[in-house]
Amino acid sequence: MQPRVDLITLGVRSVEASRSFYVDGLGWRVNREFPGEVVFIQANHGLILSLWDASQMQGEAGTDSPAGIPCITLSHNLGSTAEVDWVMAEAEAAGATIVAAAKTQPWGGYTGYFADPDGYRWEVGFNPTWAVAADGNVTL
């Protein structure tokens, strides 16, 4: 198995609400969609984000029903603290819940967290020891 991730699937309670947040609110582009079932978004660099009806995901993947806060964070890394602040504001305007305002962390980075309509946590961060290219490619 090669060391890569090609698809991240979030089991969501409402495909419509999640679509509204990511597409209408954040401006992400749908690449393929089966209304009420699943939405596929080409995120970047060959990575696909899938918003899949949680009940269908449970049947196929043997997952538990979504309850409480999902134990995963998705990260959006940027090249400056100003960009972090901008993205956090954009997410809040799109309907995200800010769960941790952006701030300088003890390890030297600058991060904030928001929750999407299903409670999935997104870390928006700047790590001064990582490089972020103009095309968004992050290297350690």
Side-chain angles (χ1 to χ4, degrees), residues 55-112:
S55 62
Q56 291 182 11
M57 185 177 187
Q58 290 166 26
E60 184 172 320
T63 60
D64 292 330
S65 62
I69 299 168
C71 190
I72 184 174
T73 60
L74 304 166
S75 221
H76 186 77
N77 292 275
L78 299 158
S80 71
T81 58
E83 290 173 287
V84 170
D85 292 338
W86 187 86
V87 169
M88 290 292 289
E90 179 185 37
E92 186 172 32
T97 301
I98 304 301
V99 295
K103 66 179 184 177
T104 301
Q105 301 297 338
W107 50 268
Y110 184 77
T111 64

Side-chain angles (χ1 to χ4, degrees), residues 22-61:
Y22 287 98
V23 177
D24 302 330
L26 295 180
W28 294 14
R29 188 172 61 87
V30 172
N31 289 81
R32 186 165 295 150
E33 154 174 39
F34 298 91
E37 295 180 26
V38 65
V39 174
F40 295 101
I41 297 167
Q42 185 74 52
N44 65 322
H45 314 294
L47 180 65
I48 298 165
L49 177 66
S50 169
L51 308 170
W52 191 12
D53 177 80
S55 62
Q56 291 182 11
M57 185 177 187
Q58 290 166 26
E60 184 172 320

